[in-house]
Amino acid sequence: MLRRYLAGLAAVVAFAALLTAGAPRAGAATFAPTNGRLMLLGQSTKAAWDDYTSFAAAPSGGSVYYEVKSGTWVNAGHRDYATFLAQQGKAVQIGVSWKDNPPGYTGGDETTKAARSRAVTAELAAGQHAAQFDNLIAFVNAYPNAKFFLRLDYEVSSFYHCTDASCSSYKNAFAKIRSLVDGRKRQDNVTYVFHPVRGEYEQMYPGDAATDWAGVSIFAHELCMPIRDNGAYLYNGTPPQNYDTSTLQCRNAYLGTDSAGNPAAVWKNWDYDGNVLKMMKFARDHGKPMIVSESGMMNFTDDTDTRGLEPVRGDTWVKRFFGLMNYSGPIPNLSGTYDLSNVIKAAVYINLDFRYGWDGIADGSFDFPVGSTWFADGRLSQYTAARTSFCQGLADRGFATTCGTATNPPPTTPTNPPTTPPTTPPASGRDAFATIEAESRNAQSGTTVTAGRLSSLNNGDWARYDGLAFGGRTPNQVVFRYSSARPTTQAFTLEFRAGSAAGPVIAAPGLLGTGSVTAYKEIAFNLGRLPAGTTSVTVVARANDSAEVLDLDWFRFN
C-alpha cells in the first residue's frame, strides 16, 4: 500500500514537472529587505555616486545600461560603474535595452525605429540574438556576490514592444531572456524587473511566473509636479478642472459617497498620478515588490537660470517622492482605500546634472537648451532643503542605508578660518583668495587684452594662472566678473580647471550673454573638489559655435 502511494505521488510530481518545464519561475531572488528598502544611485557613470557620497554614506548600489545591439555596455562609463559596484557586492540595476538602438536598425524617423524595435522584440521571443547576452552573463558570473536587477528594456510600451494587442511578443521575449540568463548563470544573484510606462502595466505584464519586480519611473508628472519647457508649463491635467496650479496638484475623482451616503464621485487634489497609484495596487495584488527604476528632478520653474537649480520645488519633489512610499488612501476612479505603504521596496535616484546630458558630466557645453524640460541640476549636493529632506526620507522610510557619515566627504575647511582673506599675497605666490585680474595670465591660447580685461575668448581659448597660493584653506566657490556681446538668451560655459587646459574641471558655470562687452555680470559658483597641491588654474571658454564667447575681467576664490 505504501509503495503504491509513493508511486502515485511520484507520478503526480513528475506530471507537475512536465507542466512547468521550460517556464521561468519568479522569486528565486528578489533581494527585497523584509523590513526596509534599498537606495541605488545613478544611471550611467560613477559621477552620481561620487556626488552622493560627498554628504552621505554609500548607498546599496547603482544603475547602468547594457545594449542588445552591440552586445555590451552602452559605453565605458556604464561598464566601469557596473564593475565598481559589482566588486563591492552591491546591487546593480542593468537596463538591458533594445528600443533605443534596435539590432538591424540603420536609420530613419522614430516610427521606423519603433517598428524595428517591435520586430526585434518578436525575434527575441523566438530565441534570436542570444549571443548578444554573452558579455552580460559572463559579467554576472564574474561577480557572484553582487545582486543584479535586470530590467528587460526600460519604460516598455506597446509602441516599441508589442506586435499586436495581446503584446505576447514582449511577454514571450521577457520569459525567453529570463530563461536564457537563468540557464547560464552560475549562482542565484539575478532578479528580473518589468518596467513599463504609466498606463500599460496590465496589458504588457509578463506574468507572475516571469516577473520578480515591477518598475516605475518617477520624474515630474508622476508626482503631479509641473514641467517648465521653453516658456510654458506642462501640467499633468488641464487647469482648472484637472490640475490646481496654486497647489501644484492633480485633480481627479474617486468613488466615494455623498452626504446622504449614496455612491458618488468625490473630487480632490492629489500629489500622485492615478496610474502610478493603480500600478502600485497592481503590484501589491500580484505579490510583487516595486522598484522606482529611475527618478530625478526636472525643470520645474525657470527659463533663464543657467544653474538649473530648483531650491524650492526641488524640496517639494523630494518630499512627495518619499511620501509616495508611504501612501495609504483612495485611488482615482476606484472605490475604497488602499494601504500601499509597503509596496515600493527599492528606488534609484539618478543624482546627475542633466544640463550636461544623461551622463551628467560637465564637458563644456549644455546638452539641453536653457529653459527646456531636462535643463536641471539634480545633484543633491547642490541643495540644502532638498538634501535635508532626502536624508530624512531615507531614515523615515526605513532604507537600509541612510545619509549617516559621508563616505567620500569633500576636504574640510579649517576650524577657525580667517573672516577675510589676507590683503597681501603670501610669499610663495599670489593669494588665490584675493582678486586676480584676468589679464595677468601666465600662459594663454587665443586671447587678447583689451581695456584691462581678458578679451576675445572663442570656443576652446584658454588662459592659465600660475603661482596661486591657497594657504592650506579649501575654497568652495569661485567668483568672477564677465561680459559677453552674445544675446541674453544665448548660453555658453566658462570652465575652471585645476592645472592646465586639460586638467580636471573644478567648476563649469553655464552662462548667458550680457548683450554687450561693456555690460558686466558678477557670478558666484560652487566648486568641485580642488586637487591637493593645486597652484595653477586655467579658464577655458566653451560654446557650440565659432563666434566670440566672452570677456573676463577678474576672478577670485572664496
Side-chain angles (χ1 to χ4, degrees), residues 422-432 434 467 469:
T423 56
T424 57
S428 59
R430 44 181 167 176
D431 183 10

Side-chain angles (χ1 to χ4, degrees), residues 295-318:
S295 68
M297 300 180 196
M298 296 180 70
N299 181 14
F300 300 134
T301 57
D302 206 353
D303 294 319
T304 59
D305 185 356
T306 58
R307 296 174 302 166
L309 296 177
E310 294 289 346
V312 176
R313 292 186 180 177
D315 185 42
T316 300
W317 185 94
V318 169

Side-chain angles (χ1 to χ4, degrees), residues 91-160:
V92 188
Q93 180 183 247
I94 302 176
V96 181
S97 181
W98 60 90
K99 72 172 187 177
D100 287 338
N101 192 17
Y105 173 67
T106 57
D109 60 15
E110 199 64 24
T111 300
T112 304
K113 183 169 73 173
R116 182 59 196 148
S117 177
R118 292 192 296 271
V120 170
T121 306
E123 291 165 7
L124 288 166
Q128 298 181 42
H129 309 292
Q132 303 307 101
F133 295 84
D134 289 352
N135 287 327
L136 176 65
I137 296 169
F139 190 85
V140 166
N141 286 333
Y143 297 99
N145 295 323
K147 304 169 183 66
F148 295 99
F149 291 65
L150 298 190
R151 281 189 292 168
L152 303 187
D153 222 336
Y154 74 100
E155 293 174 356
V156 296
S157 66
S158 56
F159 183 62
Y160 288 101

Side-chain angles (χ1 to χ4, degrees), residues 176 240 275 313 342 395 473:
K176 180 63 74 172
N275 280 318
R313 292 186 180 177
N342 200 38
R473 288 179 291 159

Side-chain angles (χ1 to χ4, degrees), residues 215-227:
V216 66
S217 293
I218 301 293
F219 289 105
H221 283 175
E222 293 82 4
L223 301 180
C224 293
M225 297 289 292
I227 302 172

Side-chain angles (χ1 to χ4, degrees), residues 153-511:
D153 222 336
Y154 74 100
E155 293 174 356
V156 296
S157 66
S158 56
F159 183 62
Y160 288 101
H161 299 92
C162 301
T163 56
D164 57 33
S166 72
C167 207
S168 58
S169 54
Y170 177 73
K171 297 171 186 177
N172 292 337
F174 192 104
K176 180 63 74 172
I177 296 170
R178 177 178 180 134
S179 293
L180 173 68
V181 177
D182 280 352
R184 294 173 55 190
K185 65 182 176 67
R186 293 198 293 262
Q187 58 278 317
D188 190 16
N189 65 341
V190 179
T191 192
Y192 298 87
V193 181
F194 163 57
H195 178 200
V197 296
R198 286 181 292 151
E200 293 198 291
Y201 54 88
E202 194 163 10
Q203 173 192 356
M204 301 188 67
Y205 185 55
D208 291 346
T211 307
D212 291 329
W213 290 75
V216 66
S217 293
I218 301 293
F219 289 105
H221 283 175
E222 293 82 4
L223 301 180
C224 293
M225 297 289 292
I227 302 172
R228 188 72 170 169
D229 184 36
N230 297 313
Y233 277 117
L234 307 176
Y235 299 111
N236 184 351
T238 304
Q241 179 64 27
N242 296 111
Y243 193 85
D244 189 333
T245 58
S246 63
T247 61
L248 306 182
Q249 289 177 303
C250 302
R251 282 190 51 74
N252 213 325
Y254 67 95
L255 302 181
T257 57
D258 60 20
S259 57
N262 298 314
V266 181
W267 283 85
K268 70 182 293 287
N269 285 14
W270 307 78
D271 286 340
Y272 310 113
D273 176 80
N275 280 318
V276 171
L277 295 178
K278 290 174 183 175
M279 186 176 175
M280 291 173 68
K281 177 183 178 298
F282 181 85
R284 187 201 68 175
D285 292 347
H286 286 262
K288 303 300 177 183
M290 283 191 74
I291 178 172
V292 178
S293 287
E294 299 181 11
S295 68
M297 300 180 196
M298 296 180 70
N299 181 14
F300 300 134
T301 57
D302 206 353
D303 294 319
T304 59
D305 185 356
T306 58
R307 296 174 302 166
L309 296 177
E310 294 289 346
V312 176
R313 292 186 180 177
D315 185 42
T316 300
W317 185 94
V318 169
K319 289 174 178 175
R320 290 188 184 181
F321 178 65
F322 285 102
L324 177 65
M325 302 177 196
N326 202 42
Y327 185 81
S328 183
I331 294 177
N333 308 123
L334 299 182
S335 61
T337 58
Y338 303 88
D339 182 1
L340 306 177
S341 59
N342 200 38
V343 176
I344 295 176
K345 301 294 289 183
V348 178
Y349 183 71
I350 295 176
N351 200 51
L352 290 174
D353 188 347
F354 288 132
R355 296 177 304 161
Y356 295 101
W358 305 128
D359 61 4
I361 297 175
D363 55 3
S365 62
F366 296 136
D367 284 34
F368 297 105
V370 178
S372 61
T373 58
W374 287 109
F375 193 82
D377 189 344
R379 294 173 297 168
L380 290 166
S381 67
Q382 303 303 300
Y383 298 89
T384 300
R387 183 172 65 249
T388 300
S389 295
F390 197 95
C391 292
Q392 188 65 50
L394 291 175
D396 290 347
R397 299 294 172 259
F399 276 82
T401 57
T402 59
C403 284
T405 302
T407 305
N408 186 30
T412 56
T413 55
T415 305
N416 297 300
T419 55
T420 57
T423 56
T424 57
S428 59
R430 44 181 167 176
D431 183 10
F433 296 94
T435 297
I436 298 169
E437 295 295 339
E439 67 272 17
S440 66
R441 64 207 190 283
N442 296 96
Q444 62 87 31
S445 175
T447 71
T448 61
V449 174
T450 304
R453 64 180 184 270
L454 189 70
S455 61
S456 304
L457 277 79
N458 289 11
N459 179 45
D461 290 347
W462 56 268
R464 193 182 74 234
Y465 302 84
D466 298 333
L468 302 186
F470 291 91
R473 288 179 291 159
T474 302
N476 55 26
Q477 272 190 336
V478 61
V479 183
F480 59 94
R481 187 172 186 252
Y482 82 98
S483 65
S484 172
R486 291 179 174 236
T488 55
T489 57
Q490 194 170 106
F492 55 89
T493 303
L494 181 64
E495 294 178 349
F496 289 79
R497 291 177 173 264
S500 71
V505 175
I506 56 174
L511 306 172

